[in-house]
Amino acid sequence: MILAVLFANSVGNVLIERFNGVPAEERLHWRSFLVKLGAENLKGVKNEELLVACHKSVYIVYTMLGDVSIFLVGKDEYDELALAEAIFIITAAVKDICGKPPTERVFLDKYGRICLCLDEIVWNGLLENTDKDRIKRLIRLKPPSEF
Amino acid sequence: MAESSGTTLMDLISADPTPVPAQASASSTASQPSPGAASAASHLHHPMPTTTKTTLGERKSKRATLMQIQNDTLSVARAALHPVKANIMPQRQRQKKKPVSYTQLARSIHELAATLDQKSSQKQLVNHVFPKLAVYNSVDPSLAPSLLMLNQQCEDRNVLRYVYYYLARILSDTGMSPGGGIPTPNWDALADIDAGGGVTRADVVPRIVNQLTSEASNSELEFHARRLQALKALTYSPSGNSELLSKLYEIVFGLLDKVADVPHKRKKGVFGTKGGDKESIIRSNLQYAAMSALRRLPLDPGNPLFLHRAAQGVSFADPVAVRHSLEILSELATRDPYTVAMTLEKLASPAGALQDILHLHDVLARVALARLCHSISRARALDERPDIRSQFNSILYQLLLDPSERVCYEAILCILGKHDNTERMDDRATGWYRLTREILKLPEAPSKDKSNKAKRPQPLIKLVMRRLESSFRSFSRPVLHAAARVVQEMGKSRAAAFAMGLQDIDEAVHVNSFADALDDAETNDSSHPEGIRRTSSISAGPGRSETIASLLASLMEVVRTTVACECVYVRAMVIKALIWMQSPHESLDELKSIIASELSDPGWPAALVNDVLLTLHARFKATPDMAVILLEIARIFATKVPGKIDADVLQLLWKTCLVGAGPDGKHTALEAVTIVLDLPPPQPGSMSGMTSIDRVSASDPKSALALQKLVQAAVWFLGENANYAASEYAWESATPPGTALMMLDADKMVAAASSRNPTLAGALTRLQRCAFSGSWEVRIVAVQALTTIAIRSGEPFRLQIYEFLYTLAEGGVQSQLSEMHLSNGEDQGVSGTGLGVLITPMLKVLDEMYVGQDELIKDIRHHDNANKEWKDEELKKLYETHERLLDFVSMFCYIPRAKYLPLGPISAKLIDTYRTKHNITASSGSTDPTVVATGISDLIYESTQPAPAASNSSGLDDDLVNAWAANLGDDGLLGNNAPAMSRVNEFIAGVGTDAPDVEEENVFSRPSVGYDDMWAKTLLETNEMEEDDARSGSSSPDSAGSVESSISSHFGGMNYPSLFSSKPSSQATAKSSGSKYQSTYEGYGSPIREEPPPPYSYSEPPQSRESFENPVAGSGSRNYESDDEEPRKSTGTRFGTALYDFTAGGDDELNLTAEEELEIEYEVDGWFYVKKKRPGRDGKMAGLVPVLYVNQS
């Protein structure tokens, strides 16, 4: 289960978050935990360099993309490596939409499409589509494979 | 923040779209709120378009309501953003930008939906309205009619995609902010004033479901992309709705009926869809949609159709569909491996579809395949069909060669027996055996011209080691972390194999020799398929000389170098791996120095440190032989990072090790614990860093405080367990009390004591020193510990302690020992040691016991001399004295009532006589028979748990009683009933997704607080208060004379959470500070099950020793607390303002800005624990600040 996908800006404002199977009262904790993790470790990190953390049996993989930090929290089959796969797909999709590692402005300009993309990548806490072209087609309401 | 202009969520929704014509005209008619309004929120007010239907008055009131709602929304929005620091308002004020409110967006959607024929409307929707709406965490149902209208009428794909997105969100909404972002205004309130009239979720959901259902069933070819999205949106609806669920099953199976059964011609080796005909592509798309939806539906294990459809998915063309089908199958296989295996039998054959998946470009599909193969190849249900098992086994082994680390590691973990969290030890042991013994021989390679080398059979262990070694050279932190985790799991399986004593785990054997040796024996074994048949044809090469030990050694070398990784989590995982791979016979020095140098790094979060401690505990459980080694490692934690470790966990570790060390190791184990006591006390003045392992690193007041608690815990532990470790019990002592009385010469006594029992004598010496030289809190606990030992031990120990306590109470010793007394600046009190008040009742109990013994001896002599029989009244008197003393003694520490003889061994006969006469069972006689009648076991095990020995409590096994008396019998070795054990087990099992604890304030607002947090909280909150209390209690002249209050301070002072379960302290706190804390502990899913403590009665043993396990523990202390008349410092909440800016120096501290208003929770050692009205820039709400920085109002 991918418990959470969270985008934050460089100063720790949450831009997008998607929680799956996390009780409402724990979300606040995750949010602050992740933002703190990012604040402590993401300074000077290269774009898309993956960082890792774990808490009990829950894994966290996070990275920086332009001005935006991206966090993924998962457990069970979504261990650090599976999350690394997922975050790679997400960063690729975001870069694709924004054209480059996004500044915050650009990210917010494309906010709606990023949400749609995310909807295609992580569906109910499970990784869904991993292929870039396929995601692109799906957010335009085209079938996943075209003829 | 302020610099990054226009880049916040609020700005996103404030970004000015070209106003919709209708809206523009509407807003122009309305008045603007004053731009200069001081309140930031006023900028968010938006005039509402007026409707012609309403009268002016209505309009006004509605507008007021709406404004109110908008205001609410915005303040909620701010609050939502605040925890993570959002200082948007001032900035927005400067920019004079008007955000688009939710209501405005909603209105735009309604209007644009109505004017859909215009191209600009669609553009507006896609570019401005929908993206902005995405910021809100939920979509209110009143939008649904417009969305449905758009869904029916709009042709634009982009608009439609958003429409599906929002419909799915409406369906998934449970009103609990599922999507994050800015909270949406209250729907009900909106519904009232919305032009559309009261639209509730209950109204719209059926409509949405109906429309989506009909779309999902629409079989028009052109429509199939929408069909996919409709089906997807439907799966978002909460799973509780059974009606909807059956509808979904119906749709999915209906779809699969049409698309799954058509004979599928797959292009060989090509998984892409290029070049396929239109029909088959559409079919494949629908297959994907159906399988994805099926994956989101609850499993239906008993349903053959479900299984059939899932198995069909394996052959689908769409890789994602294949992944989902494998995931479903692997989940089904854990429940019913037999049926799944039978269904998949053909697919697993060498040319079957499962083999194709090995080359499928989808990592998670291969992971699911590994799990599936593991479940089936290990299934006992398939013992009859070794051929099937071996086919799946072969696939599993081939996955070891997978290019993706994720898949390879999953395969390794499966082989090691780590499949889910319910693994058993024998699975693990066989896993290790398998990994070290078995051989992978690839089936005939698909391309024949490949070099022979690739096909050469390989021992699994070599493959795995090589793979892991190369992983450790990776630069990717996730890979390093995962590799270390795999090594840790290897260590677990290896430990299990050793513990199970699996035959020939000789690691010095050449890896290839197994193959040779086993070859003959195995060739006829049909359980091994071609793929893994052991073969003797391995060519002699360099691998010939490799042994498992050498392979492991070279792997561990690489693992150790990984400690250099800059990521602390990777390092923690490496250390855990090292702990697991540490064998009892190897030198420990390297591991110790690694850990010591690691812990010097301040970057280690406390949670991680405790995780490693729990790993030690788990390691101990797997290999009890290592108790002493592990204690040595634990010692490093205690000395290096006293502020970070959970004394609770450490004590648990001590205790388990003490029990596990066995009779021979007990002494060493106790010594290892008491090393904490030999540490020099932290010097508040000196802040110089100390780096030696044996020196304490308590450079700041906080860790000094923590170290002190640790010492307290160690002292308490010593008092509670010294008797167990020394196997010295008063109720087993053969020495008659008279003997001791004759040894009143102190030197002789000490000599006698130490010659008789060096362990106990050593413990006594340490405690005596603590009673002098520790800090105030430590001295209290030390005296209590001494009393406990005095009560439990036979002579001469009791007398020795008695004399010591007596001297201590008199205060005379101080002058003699003043050079030993390291003053820590405290006022030592009038009685010299300051302990007089505390000791008096303790001396009293010992006095009474001695007086009773004296009288008994006199009486016996009297009777003997006069040759008289004991009369019933005399016996009764004796028995009453016995019971009274038992009650009295029980107030101080736990003793087995049935066995304990306060009047000495000689009273046994007489008491027995009286009991037999009056038909009193040995264990009854207490005023609270329920506690004692069921035996000690009941105190230790949860009362709901039938205690193993409860039925024969009169004939308890001596060792068991003693173990119980020392509260050790419930260790994980004997059972897992204790709540504290569940935490360890939970840890070992790797469950639990408790949110991490980051910030103090969160704990208050969090009903489902985890045990760690709760514990930490008790430590911070109640504890300090109680210590304050203890201090004030005994320094106050009023309380000095009263036994009750001195007992109260005595227990209050001892009531730190490591000793008592958290409940009593929380209750005590709740009592004193209102209901504030109570809510914190109620309704949580804490692993500790606590029952309300029963009403206290003095005859019930105060179970101070039942700290971890006994759910009723501390009931005594609770009552003591409530008896306490002392006013508490922390009773009322005070307020204050910050005088100056203050920068937090640690996690617990709080940044202050001058003038900030604060709520003062309590004071501790020159610090206030304060709460702010709103979170600061760092997002923290509460923490410690220096008292001097706060002006109390």
Side-chain angles (χ1 to χ4, degrees):
Chain A
M1 187 73 130
I2 298 177
L3 298 174
V5 180
L6 189 140
F7 290 70
N9 67 7
S10 47
V11 287
N13 288 306
V14 175
L15 299 176
I16 300 180
E17 59 180 10
R18 294 285 178 270
F19 283 108
N20 303 291
V22 179
E25 61 273 11
E26 278 188 14
R27 291 180 188 160
L28 182 65
H29 292 261
W30 275 114
R31 204 178 292 144
S32 22
F33 178 79
L34 294 178
V35 167
K36 188 167 172 251
L37 203 64
E40 281 168 4
N41 299 302
L42 279 176
K43 268 195 197 96
V45 165
K46 277 180 284 181
N47 264 345
E48 294 183 68
E49 184 177 343
L50 296 183
L51 283 87
V52 68
C54 69
H55 176 79
K56 299 189 182 168
S57 59
V58 177
Y59 307 97
I60 300 141
V61 171
Y62 56 112
T63 190
M64 196 79 193
L65 188 69
D67 291 349
V68 181
S69 39
I70 306 171
F71 300 86
L72 256 70
V73 182
K75 66 169 184 182
D76 298 334
E77 69 264 45
Y78 291 94
D79 65 3
E80 57 285 74
L81 291 173
L83 290 178
E85 296 268 329
I87 210 166
F88 175 73
I89 297 154
I90 292 174
T91 49
V94 170
K95 273 194 299 184
D96 220 39
I97 292 172
C98 302
K100 55 178 189 246
T103 61
E104 206 174 326
R105 175 83 262 172
V106 173
F107 185 90
L108 290 175
D109 283 347
K110 308 282 183 190
Y111 194 88
R113 290 195 61 198
I114 292 171
C115 285
L116 292 183
C117 254
L118 209 54
D119 186 48
E120 295 295 351
I121 297 171
V122 180
W123 170 359
N124 273 350
L126 301 172
L127 188 66
E128 183 67 16
N129 292 297
T130 53
D131 184 68
K132 219 162 70 173
D133 295 330
R134 193 176 161 123
I135 295 165
K136 229 190 249 172
R137 278 197 294 277
L138 282 167
I139 64 168
R140 294 200 191 107
L141 203 72
K142 291 180 176 169
S145 339
E146 275 188 297
F147 21 93
Chain B
M1 183 71 217
E3 291 81 52
S4 55
S5 60
T7 55
T8 65
L9 277 184
M10 289 304 271
D11 287 319
L12 172 63
I13 52 170
S14 73
D16 215 5
T18 12
V20 188
Q23 197 179 347
S25 64
S27 57
S28 64
T29 60
S31 66
Q32 285 282 10
S34 144
S39 154
S42 70
H43 282 261
L44 305 162
H45 289 204
H46 283 275
M48 288 317 300
T50 55
T51 49
T52 48
K53 285 180 212 156
T54 50
T55 68
L56 194 67
E58 273 172 0
R59 208 164 66 205
K60 271 193 173 163
S61 72
K62 281 196 172 182
R63 238 175 74 185
T65 327
L66 194 59
M67 298 261 230
Q68 181 56 42
I69 291 166
Q70 281 179 316
N71 257 335
D72 291 350
T73 316
L74 260 300
S75 50
V76 180
R78 258 175 290 147
L81 289 173
H82 257 135
V84 201
K85 187 181 356 179
N87 204 358
I88 324 162
M89 292 311 158
Q91 171 207 348
R92 285 176 359 82
Q93 232 165 345
R94 202 183 55 230
Q95 290 182 348
K96 305 255 182 237
K97 248 188 195 168
K98 279 174 284 173
V100 186
S101 72
Y102 181 83
T103 332
Q104 235 175 335
L105 285 172
R107 203 160 289 275
S108 299
I109 291 175
H110 293 315
E111 284 158 0
L112 291 168
T115 58
L116 196 62
D117 42 341
Q118 297 169 27
K119 215 150 191 176
S120 64
S121 298
Q122 297 182 359
K123 231 178 178 176
Q124 187 75 17
L125 275 173
V126 172
N127 294 334
H128 297 291
V129 179
F130 280 144
K132 284 179 185 123
L133 193 64
V135 173
Y136 289 95
N137 63 8
S138 57
V139 185
D140 85 277
S142 69
L143 291 183
S146 299
L147 289 172
L148 287 174
M149 193 165 96
L150 282 171
N151 189 34
Q152 277 173 331
Q153 296 175 3
C154 187
E155 295 290 317
D156 185 280
R157 287 177 176 278
N158 290 317
V159 174
L160 281 172
R161 181 63 188 83
Y162 273 115
V163 168
Y164 284 114
Y165 175 73
Y166 288 117
L167 288 178
R169 292 188 72 169
I170 294 178
L171 279 182
S172 75
D173 257 337
T174 47
M176 295 279 284
S177 65
I182 299 173
T184 313
N186 186 312
W187 298 338
D188 296 337
L190 266 182
D192 282 345
I193 48 165
D194 195 279
V199 184
T200 62
R201 199 167 171 272
D203 297 333
V204 295
V205 166
R207 283 174 62 191
I208 298 175
V209 169
N210 280 340
Q211 188 155 338
L212 291 177
T213 314
S214 67
E215 284 181 21
S217 321
N218 188 336
S219 57
E220 261 177 62
L221 280 189
E222 295 313 311
F223 201 74
H224 91 278
R226 292 186 62 176
R227 217 174 153 184
L228 260 60
Q229 290 296 343
L231 193 53
K232 176 174 179 175
L234 278 174
T235 62
Y236 274 101
S237 44
S239 56
N241 186 343
S242 59
E243 194 189 335
L244 181 56
L245 212 58
S246 56
K247 211 177 236 175
L248 262 172
Y249 275 123
E250 201 180 300
I251 297 172
V252 169
F253 284 121
L255 195 53
L256 283 171
D257 280 342
K258 291 202 182 102
V259 296
D261 286 327
V262 183
H264 185 75
K265 288 174 213 141
R266 189 174 14 202
K267 299 248 154 76
K268 257 193 184 171
V270 179
F271 272 82
T273 43
K274 275 173 199 159
D277 59 311
K278 189 174 172 183
E279 195 195 337
S280 71
I281 288 172
I282 290 177
R283 191 188 309 129
S284 148
N285 285 340
L286 290 173
Q287 284 171 344
Y288 153 72
M291 203 45 81
S292 288
L294 193 63
R295 172 83 179 106
R296 268 81 188 178
L297 293 174
L299 279 190
D300 194 356
N303 185 349
L305 182 63
F306 192 95
L307 177 62
H308 170 66
R309 291 302 181 200
Q312 276 182 327
V314 174
S315 321
F316 285 171
D318 191 288
V320 183
V322 175
R323 183 212 306 158
H324 288 316
S325 104
L326 282 169
E327 282 174 348
I328 296 172
L329 288 172
S330 78
E331 277 183 33
L332 285 174
T334 55
R335 300 175 193 215
D336 185 4
Y338 186 81
T339 323
V340 175
M342 289 304 146
T343 316
L344 294 178
E345 193 181 350
K346 271 186 196 150
L347 300 176
S349 61
L354 287 181
Q355 292 282 348
D356 289 343
I357 292 164
L358 290 173
H359 311 287
L360 183 65
H361 184 73
D362 189 303
V363 170
L364 285 172
R366 301 196 305 265
V367 169
L369 179 65
R371 294 181 165 215
L372 173 69
C373 291
H374 172 71
S375 304
I376 294 180
S377 64
R378 303 289 163 262
R380 305 249 189 287
L382 283 163
D383 281 344
E384 307 289 297
R385 299 292 305 270
D387 53 322
I388 294 185
R389 276 169 56 154
S390 62
Q391 272 173 353
F392 282 93
N393 209 28
S394 159
I395 296 176
L396 177 62
Y397 287 179
Q398 288 178 60
L399 284 168
L400 283 177
L401 299 172
D402 197 278
S404 157
E405 267 101 4
R406 176 69 188 85
V407 182
C408 173
Y409 292 171
E410 186 70 36
I412 298 177
L413 293 181
C414 283
I415 292 172
L416 284 172
K418 153 110 186 141
H419 176 54
D420 48 20
N421 297 325
T422 57
E423 80 235 22
R424 298 200 317 265
M425 201 161 168
D426 50 342
D427 284 347
R428 285 300 200 133
T430 359
W432 178 250
Y433 186 82
R434 205 176 293 130
L435 183 72
T436 51
R437 293 299 184 284
E438 296 200 349
I439 303 268
L440 165 71
K441 184 171 167 276
L442 287 176
E444 54 285 14
S447 51
K448 301 239 166 170
D449 49 7
K450 274 199 177 165
S451 72
N452 274 339
K453 213 178 170 188
K455 288 195 286 175
R456 185 189 300 158
Q458 301 259 28
L460 296 188
I461 181 95
K462 263 171 83 178
L463 283 176
V464 168
M465 292 294 161
R466 237 180 267 150
R467 185 60 179 260
L468 284 173
E469 277 185 40
S470 70
S471 295
F472 276 108
R473 292 195 193 93
S474 162
F475 292 106
S476 158
R477 275 173 271 208
V479 171
L480 288 174
H481 193 267
R485 196 159 52 84
V486 171
V487 174
Q488 182 195 354
E489 297 301 334
M490 258 168 65
K492 283 185 192 172
S493 293
R494 183 169 167 237
F498 278 110
M500 302 274 294
L502 270 198
Q503 43 155 349
D504 47 62
I505 316 185
D506 183 5
E507 290 182 351
V509 181
H510 292 214
V511 278
N512 291 333
S513 63
F514 299 124
D516 302 340
L518 292 172
D519 185 43
D520 292 337
E522 299 278 333
T523 35
N524 295 330
D525 184 353
S526 58
S527 74
H528 291 280
E530 310 280 359
I532 55 156
R533 173 152 307 162
R534 287 138 174 137
T535 165
S536 54
S537 67
I538 306 166
S539 65
R544 230 31 202 161
S545 60
E546 282 172 336
T547 63
I548 295 171
S550 72
L551 283 171
L552 277 179
S554 86
L555 175 70
M556 293 323 288
E557 200 46 53
V558 196
V559 173
R560 272 190 281 270
T561 54
T562 316
V563 179
C565 178
E566 70 271 44
C567 172
V568 71
Y569 288 93
V570 171
R571 273 160 20 208
M573 193 48 88
V574 167
I575 288 182
K576 286 189 207 169
L578 289 173
I579 290 173
W580 274 105
M581 291 303 280
Q582 175 79 36
S583 99
H585 320 296
E586 288 161 11
S587 155
L588 188 68
D589 296 341
E590 193 161 13
L591 180 58
K592 262 164 83 179
S593 70
I594 288 177
I595 292 180
S597 62
E598 273 307 311
L599 292 178
S600 312
D601 179 354
W604 277 70
L608 217 48
V609 173
N610 287 311
D611 245 20
V612 179
L613 263 189
L614 283 170
T615 308
L616 283 178
H617 192 275
R619 180 79 182 95
F620 166 76
K621 281 182 82 180
T623 321
D625 300 351
M626 291 178 70
V628 176
I629 296 182
L630 294 172
L631 278 172
E632 275 192 54
I633 299 177
R635 199 196 77 183
I636 307 175
F637 284 84
T639 53
K640 279 292 188 185
V641 279
K644 282 182 187 162
I645 53 172
D646 184 338
D648 207 1
V649 177
L650 193 63
Q651 282 216 26
L652 187 63
L653 186 68
W654 285 343
K655 209 164 170 188
T656 346
C657 288
L658 185 61
V659 180
D664 307 332
K666 271 187 200 167
H667 180 76
T668 333
L670 201 67
E671 287 290 300
V673 172
T674 52
I675 278 183
V676 174
L677 302 185
D678 295 339
L679 299 169
Q683 310 278 318
S686 82
M687 296 289 183
S688 59
M690 294 182 244
T691 44
S692 145
I693 298 182
D694 295 325
R695 298 296 296 276
V696 191
S697 308
S699 47
D700 57 297
K702 230 193 91 210
S703 49
L705 198 71
L707 177 72
Q708 184 171 305
K709 283 191 194 318
L710 214 59
V711 173
Q712 264 174 286
V715 168
W716 178 85
F717 183 84
L718 205 56
E720 285 300 312
N721 299 312
N723 287 86
Y724 172 79
S727 309
E728 163 70 41
Y729 297 102
W731 49 95
E732 291 184 350
S733 171
T735 325
T739 328
L741 286 172
M742 283 176 254
M743 294 197 294
L744 270 177
D745 182 0
D747 292 339
K748 257 189 222 163
M749 195 164 60
V750 172
S754 57
S755 68
R756 221 186 105 181
N757 197 329
T759 311
L760 194 59
L764 280 183
T765 319
R766 284 220 165 78
L767 287 177
Q768 287 177 353
R769 202 174 63 193
C770 286
F772 277 123
S773 62
S775 65
W776 169 245
E777 291 85 349
V778 172
R779 294 208 308 268
I780 293 175
V781 187
V783 171
Q784 287 164 350
L786 280 170
T787 314
T788 307
I789 297 183
I791 288 172
R792 289 185 191 160
S793 309
E795 303 299 353
F797 303 102
R798 186 181 291 167
L799 194 60
Q800 191 188 343
I801 297 168
Y802 178 77
E803 204 209 354
F804 176 79
L805 290 180
Y806 185 75
T807 330
L808 204 61
E810 292 297 297
V813 195
Q814 205 199 352
S815 56
Q816 296 163 23
L817 295 169
S818 55
E819 67 278 3
M820 269 176 70
H821 196 110
L822 298 174
S823 167
N824 52 8
E826 281 175 274
D827 180 9
Q828 301 308 326
V830 280
S831 67
T833 55
L835 293 170
V837 176
L838 194 63
I839 295 174
T840 315
M842 301 179 181
L843 281 175
K844 201 170 160 217
V845 72
L846 292 177
D847 266 337
E848 292 216 3
M849 278 164 74
Y850 280 127
V851 168
Q853 288 177 9
D854 271 355
E855 294 209 340
L856 176 64
I857 291 170
K858 257 188 228 159
D859 278 354
I860 289 177
R861 288 211 183 112
H862 183 70
H863 280 88
D864 283 354
N865 291 344
N867 218 351
K868 272 199 291 187
E869 281 297 306
W870 283 73
K871 283 192 211 127
D872 197 46
E873 297 94 78
E874 285 169 325
L875 282 177
K876 188 174 180 223
K877 195 174 151 246
L878 180 72
Y879 183 72
E880 275 167 3
T881 320
H882 171 83
E883 283 294 317
R884 186 176 56 84
L885 283 174
L886 269 186
D887 289 348
F888 199 10
V889 162
S890 298
M891 282 169 60
F892 289 89
C893 67
Y894 177 76
I895 36 121
R897 281 185 83 102
K899 296 185 150 238
Y900 193 75
L901 296 168
L903 294 174
I906 44 167
S907 66
K909 231 183 218 167
L910 295 170
I911 301 234
D912 268 353
T913 321
Y914 182 77
R915 274 185 183 143
T916 339
K917 258 190 194 167
H918 292 264
N919 213 4
I920 304 169
T921 54
S923 52
S924 73
S926 157
T927 43
D928 185 3
T930 50
V931 175
V932 191
T934 43
I936 310 145
S937 49
D938 215 29
L939 296 173
I940 291 158
Y941 294 91
E942 308 233 351
S943 47
T944 49
Q945 196 83 26
S951 50
N952 58 342
S953 60
S954 51
L956 288 176
D957 173 55
D958 278 355
D959 282 347
L960 209 54
V961 169
N962 293 341
W964 279 338
N967 193 14
L968 294 161
D970 57 338
D971 173 71
L973 301 169
L974 302 178
N976 288 331
N977 307 322
M981 289 308 299
S982 69
R983 183 148 63 120
V984 176
N985 292 332
E986 181 187 296
F987 169 80
I988 295 164
V991 294
T993 60
D994 283 2
D997 45 329
V998 192
E999 321 219 345
E1000 312 276 10
E1001 80 272 19
N1002 296 340
V1003 181
F1004 293 105
S1005 59
R1006 181 179 167 205
S1008 79
V1009 56
Y1011 182 71
D1012 293 317
D1013 308 336
M1014 203 169 72
W1015 186 84
K1017 228 43 219 172
T1018 2
L1019 181 68
L1020 262 175
E1021 314 279 341
T1022 59
N1023 191 14
E1024 250 104 38
M1025 286 190 280
E1026 254 128 2
E1027 263 155 32
D1028 274 354
D1029 192 46
R1031 221 169 290 156
S1032 62
S1034 42
S1035 61
S1036 147
D1038 295 343
S1039 62
S1042 129
V1043 173
E1044 273 76 24
S1045 69
S1046 69
I1047 291 174
S1048 99
S1049 63
H1050 152 130
F1051 276 92
M1054 207 173 110
N1055 190 7
Y1056 44 88
S1058 53
L1059 305 190
F1060 293 85
S1061 64
S1062 52
K1063 195 76 175 189
S1065 39
S1066 76
Q1067 279 180 337
T1069 319
K1071 237 173 219 162
S1072 62
S1073 57
S1075 60
K1076 185 161 186 302
Y1077 295 97
Q1078 205 136 26
S1079 60
T1080 313
Y1081 295 107
E1082 275 170 10
Y1084 54 80
S1086 155
I1088 285 236
R1089 288 196 292 131
E1090 280 168 315
E1091 287 149 27
Y1096 178 77
S1097 76
Y1098 269 82
S1099 55
E1100 180 190 298
Q1103 298 111 351
S1104 58
R1105 51 171 61 197
E1106 316 303 336
S1107 59
F1108 300 97
E1109 291 78 6
N1110 189 350
V1112 296
S1115 57
S1117 87
R1118 183 199 65 147
N1119 205 275
Y1120 289 135
E1121 287 303 328
S1122 57
D1123 282 350
D1124 193 355
E1125 301 291 324
E1126 290 287 320
R1128 283 168 183 275
K1129 275 186 180 180
S1130 55
T1131 317
T1133 311
R1134 290 169 292 167
F1135 295 92
T1137 44
L1139 288 170
Y1140 324 100
D1141 288 355
F1142 171 67
T1143 312
D1147 282 353
D1148 291 358
E1149 293 170 21
L1150 184 68
N1151 284 315
L1152 281 186
T1153 317
E1155 312 279 306
E1156 243 176 323
E1157 294 194 358
L1158 306 164
E1159 199 176 298
I1160 303 170
E1161 299 263 307
Y1162 57 84
E1163 180 184 346
V1164 51
D1165 285 350
W1167 295 78
F1168 278 141
Y1169 187 84
V1170 297
K1171 278 176 96 173
K1172 293 186 183 180
K1173 294 253 159 72
R1174 61 187 67 86
R1177 290 173 65 88
D1178 55 356
K1180 283 183 74 167
M1181 275 285 284
L1184 294 168
V1185 297
V1187 167
L1188 291 177
Y1189 280 62
V1190 179
N1191 180 26
Q1192 293 185 55
S1193 49

